[in-house]
Amino acid sequence: MPESAKDQAIVIAGRDLGESDRLITLFTALNGKVLAVAKGAKRSRKRFANALEPFTRLDLVLVPPRNGTGFFRIDSAEIKGCFPVILEDVQRFFLASLCCELVDKWTRDADPQLELYRLLVWTFEEIARPGEARRAVLVFQARLLGHAGYAPAWTRCALCGNEIRGAVARMRLDKGGFACAHCAPGDGFVSMGALKGLEFLQQRPLVHVGRLGITDSQFAESWSIVRALHRYHLGEDVFSYGLIACPTKTPHAAFPTPA
Ligand SMILES: [Zn+2]
């Protein structure tokens, strides 16, 4: 028999499984993303109370699949934190859903990523705070690229390797990032201010990210840039992006589409 083990997790998705069970996608601290069966959760709401609601943070006991294939099983789950503010505010709900969708698309099953788990917990706590929630999600989007190994050199030319000088850079996602005017004179451009801001948000300690001053216009451009990066590397757009109210300074369609 596989041995059950304690873990922590955030519920990132769930659906019915057969007559009485639910299949829950968890992003866990120790096992990474796992699909886990919650036996009896559909038939009896009491079995897991509200523990399997989206974005809920859990202490749980997981039983791994036999022979290493198939689903985990949730033996028990206790709510460690929940975010009613996110469930009640539609824009916060979509922002948290975007984070879950990105984690689901960027991570492999059972590939532990403790730092990314901590980042997701931080992001949900920030989304639940009063005030602007999108900034924390921009931080999450930029840092997720780093965790996945796809963070671009934000301020260095992807073609010649030199530091990009001047106020603008050229989008060259096919080369992994951005280029200087000398190397890519004709391509669509983005401001160096936005790229330096994204570099700050991706690389500085989380406790410092609130220090960056960022205008609405810079925010909109930065959002478009990370969205384009995610779309390019995933090879598809991410559904939740379409639900979030965010002005776009640079027309999204101007960015190169995935090859
Ligand atoms: Zn160059």
Side-chain angles (χ1 to χ4, degrees):
M1 277 291 283
E3 292 219 2
S4 61
K6 288 183 179 176
D7 205 339
Q8 295 178 13
I10 282 189
V11 176
I12 63 172
R15 61 182 164 90
D16 291 340
L17 184 70
E19 289 286 301
S20 57
D21 303 337
R22 297 265 299 157
L23 184 62
I24 308 297
T25 308
L26 299 166
F27 194 59
T28 72
L30 303 180
N31 288 285
K33 181 177 68 181
V34 302
L35 280 168
V37 178
K39 290 268 182 201
K42 187 184 170 194
R43 184 168 289 165
S44 167
R45 291 283 166 192
K46 279 189 212 153
R47 171 82 173 87
F48 289 99
N50 296 320
L52 306 179
E53 293 291 322
F55 324 129
T56 307
R57 198 174 158 200
L58 304 172
D59 276 335
L60 75 180
V61 176
L62 282 174
V63 182
R66 289 167 198 269
N67 310 320
T69 59
F71 303 132
F72 282 65
R73 181 168 59 79
I74 302 175
D75 191 50
S76 67
E78 186 180 324
I79 296 175
K80 193 171 185 207
C82 59
F83 304 101
V85 176
I86 297 178
L87 294 173
E88 288 160 10
D89 177 326
V90 68
Q91 276 304 319
R92 288 176 207 277
F93 184 91
F94 290 153
L95 287 167
S97 297
L98 172 64
C99 297
C100 289
E101 198 181 346
L102 286 170
V103 166
D104 197 18
K105 286 188 187 297
W106 272 109
T107 60
R108 292 188 299 266
D109 289 352
D111 178 21
Q113 294 196 57
L114 183 57
E115 286 306 311
L116 180 56
Y117 173 77
R118 289 178 177 147
L119 176 65
L120 187 63
V121 171
W122 175 89
T123 306
F124 282 179
E125 287 170 349
E126 292 295 312
I127 293 173
R129 278 186 214 283
E132 175 60 79
R134 294 181 309 182
R135 185 192 181 100
V137 178
L138 184 65
V139 173
F140 177 83
Q141 290 163 312
R143 293 172 101 94
L144 176 56
L145 289 169
H147 286 291
Y150 284 89
W154 300 100
T155 58
R156 198 167 280 282
C157 176
L159 294 165
C160 69
N162 291 331
E163 198 70 20
I164 300 171
R165 298 180 190 282
V168 297
R170 266 67 184 173
M171 278 291 247
R172 284 303 299 267
L173 299 188
D174 58 322
K175 299 296 178 191
F178 311 94
C180 68
H182 178 73
C183 291
D187 293 299
F189 62 84
V190 291
S191 74
M192 285 308 294
L195 294 181
K196 285 176 182 169
L198 284 167
E199 181 178 54
F200 184 98
L201 296 178
Q202 190 236 323
Q203 296 179 0
R204 294 295 183 91
L206 279 177
V207 292
H208 294 169
V209 297
R211 294 180 188 172
L212 181 72
I214 185 164
T215 65
D216 286 351
S217 166
Q218 273 174 347
F219 181 90
E221 187 180 12
S222 304
W223 185 272
S224 294
I225 291 168
V226 287
R227 179 176 178 174
L229 284 163
H230 283 282
R231 182 174 65 167
Y232 184 81
H233 291 301
L234 290 169
E236 57 182 319
D237 207 352
V238 175
F239 176 76
S240 302
Y241 270 118
L243 304 173
I244 293 163
C246 184
T248 48
K249 183 191 175 200
T250 309
H252 197 57
F255 293 149
T257 47

